Amino acid sequence: MSTSPMSMFTIISQQVTIYLGLFILIIGFFGGLLNIIIFLSLQTFRQNSCAFYLTAMSFANIIHLTINLLSHIIINGYEINLTAKSIIYCKIQLFLVELFLLTSLTCMCLATLDQFLATCSNPFWHRWNNIKLARYVLIGTILFWLLHGIPSIIYFDIIVSPSNMNQYVCLITNTIFQQYITYGFVFILMGLLPLIIMVLFGSLAYYNVRNLAYRTVPLVRRELDKQLTKMVLVQVIYNIFVLTPFVIVALIAFNLPTIDQISAVRVLAIDIHNFYFASPFYIYICVSKRFRQQFIHVFCNIHFNLYKKTNINNNQIQPKPPNTSINPISK
């Protein structure tokens, strides 16, 4: 029996979601964990506001991938709609998506802005580049997105599916909030606005860093700023390619009828969008010599400490067992 073209699109999108999604989840989880370890292991990174934002972004990326991407794989890959089975999960799922996704994107924008301030020659702008202010900004960011997610808890509910009266789905019950989610959250906050901020301040930071050699800046600070700016700029360029498809799909596909082809394109755009959360460690390890050196240093120390601990345990003096040998002459 032949398979119709529409169902074939669904099958392909499901398989891509399962295998590509699991791949993104695994590399993103371990990449984010390595990012956190490396950024927290070097004092110059711990005291730098840009590295602080990148560390916070790594935490948000790990949680987002663990909660949202895993849910995306289960719902769109295995067709197990968890949101339609639990009213609590229905209400909390998008709330968590908004919180950690928007926190991650905001941290990336702040890191780009921070590198512009760090490389700026104007003392007025340069003074805003400090770790103490970065901590307050991050706390304010998290509180703001927490408040932003409250309407999701209020307006999401389990209702009868408009297309199938025998099926229940988790949908928004307020039409105005539905319009905001489609255009405000999905199109602007998840794609267009972060891209504009990243490209704008990334370009300004690149312009500033080219003139660092002509300024009276300590060598260590100058090299650190160059390394961090390079890391941020390459990630901005990468983000253009993984976020832009989602912006286009959000603008076009969400206004078209829900058919298999459109649903498949929408799901694939979400899969590509998730590469944003999985990629930072691999970008930094490729473009930054300082980051690679710290990575090698950290894990050589871990290996050495484990090897030393193992040898100490193996070389401990064991109590001498009693002499149980039998003299053959006595026989």
Side-chain angles (χ1 to χ4, degrees):
M1 183 174 63
S2 61
T3 306
S4 65
M6 287 189 178
S7 60
M8 183 61 67
F9 278 101
T10 302
I11 293 171
I12 292 173
S13 67
Q14 286 176 351
Q15 295 304 308
V16 171
T17 297
I18 292 171
Y19 293 106
L20 182 61
L22 289 174
F23 172 74
I24 296 172
L25 178 62
I26 293 170
I27 66 170
F29 181 85
F30 288 104
L33 193 62
L34 292 173
N35 261 350
I36 294 169
I37 293 172
I38 293 170
F39 280 129
L40 294 180
S41 64
L42 187 63
Q43 186 176 8
T44 52
F45 280 147
R46 292 198 302 270
Q47 295 177 349
N48 184 275
S49 50
C50 178
F52 173 77
Y53 288 129
L54 297 180
T55 305
M57 182 185 71
S58 298
F59 275 107
N61 287 349
I62 290 175
I63 300 174
H64 176 78
L65 289 172
T66 304
I67 296 176
N68 182 58
L69 179 55
L70 188 58
S71 176
H72 171 71
I73 294 170
I74 293 172
I75 294 173
N76 296 288
Y78 293 101
E79 294 189 324
I80 302 174
N81 194 348
L82 300 176
T83 58
K85 299 180 182 297
S86 170
I87 185 66
I88 296 176
Y89 189 76
C90 169
K91 289 182 173 293
I92 206 72
Q93 200 258 347
L94 185 62
F95 173 80
L96 295 176
V97 171
E98 290 184 26
L99 175 60
F100 295 109
L101 185 151
L102 295 177
T103 298
S104 174
L105 289 171
T106 304
C107 286
M108 184 62 211
C109 293
L110 290 171
T112 311
L113 171 61
D114 189 83
Q115 278 311 106
F116 161 70
L117 297 174
T119 56
C120 191
S121 59
N122 190 325
F124 174 79
W125 297 112
H126 188 76
R127 66 177 181 152
W128 296 101
N129 167 247
N130 65 82
I131 186 67
K132 184 177 180 180
L133 178 62
R135 293 191 181 104
Y136 288 122
V137 171
L138 179 62
I139 293 172
T141 296
I142 295 173
L143 291 175
F144 180 80
W145 293 130
L146 279 170
L147 295 174
H148 174 271
I150 291 176
S152 297
I153 299 176
I154 297 173
Y155 292 120
F156 266 88
D157 204 350
I158 297 177
I159 60 175
V160 177
S161 174
S163 59
N164 187 352
M165 298 300 293
N166 297 321
Q167 183 180 7
Y168 287 90
V169 292
C170 178
L171 292 176
I172 299 172
T173 57
N174 184 282
T175 54
I176 297 177
F177 185 62
Q178 175 64 63
Q179 294 296 315
Y180 168 74
I181 289 294
T182 302
Y183 298 103
F185 172 62
V186 175
F187 177 59
I188 296 178
L189 295 181
M190 284 182 64
L192 188 62
L193 184 60
L195 278 174
I196 292 174
I197 295 174
M198 292 177 199
V199 172
L200 174 61
F201 288 105
S203 302
L204 294 173
Y206 174 74
Y207 174 80
N208 289 341
V209 82
R210 292 182 62 184
N211 300 319
L212 276 178
Y214 306 104
R215 301 178 194 161
T216 308
V217 181
L219 180 61
V220 175
R221 174 61 187 268
R222 185 170 64 194
E223 290 302 315
L224 179 62
D225 285 336
K226 285 183 177 180
Q227 291 288 314
L228 287 171
T229 303
K230 188 176 180 180
M231 292 160 60
V232 169
L233 285 178
V234 173
Q235 188 174 358
V236 168
I237 296 171
Y238 173 85
N239 290 343
I240 293 173
F241 292 98
V242 297
L243 296 181
T244 302
F246 185 82
V247 174
I248 297 173
V249 170
L251 183 63
I252 299 174
F254 280 86
N255 294 307
L256 296 178
T258 303
I259 59 177
D260 286 353
Q261 292 92 330
I262 299 301
S263 297
V265 171
R266 189 183 305 168
V267 170
L268 291 176
I270 295 174
D271 292 332
I272 296 173
H273 189 274
N274 279 312
F275 269 110
Y276 160 82
F277 304 97
S279 61
F281 168 77
Y282 307 98
I283 293 174
Y284 305 155
I285 205 74
C286 290
V287 304
S288 174
K289 181 180 178 181
R290 190 187 191 97
F291 193 84
R292 286 194 300 271
Q293 290 173 342
Q294 187 62 16
F295 171 77
I296 296 171
H297 173 74
V298 167
F299 285 91
C300 282
N301 282 345
I302 293 175
H303 177 74
F304 175 76
N305 291 332
L306 290 175
Y307 177 78
K308 184 177 179 181
K309 184 178 180 180
T310 303
N311 282 348
I312 290 174
N313 292 334
N314 291 337
N315 294 331
Q316 285 179 347
I317 300 176
Q318 301 293 332
K320 187 176 180 180
N323 186 8
T324 58
S325 59
I326 301 176
N327 191 347
I329 301 177
S330 62
K331 290 185 177 181

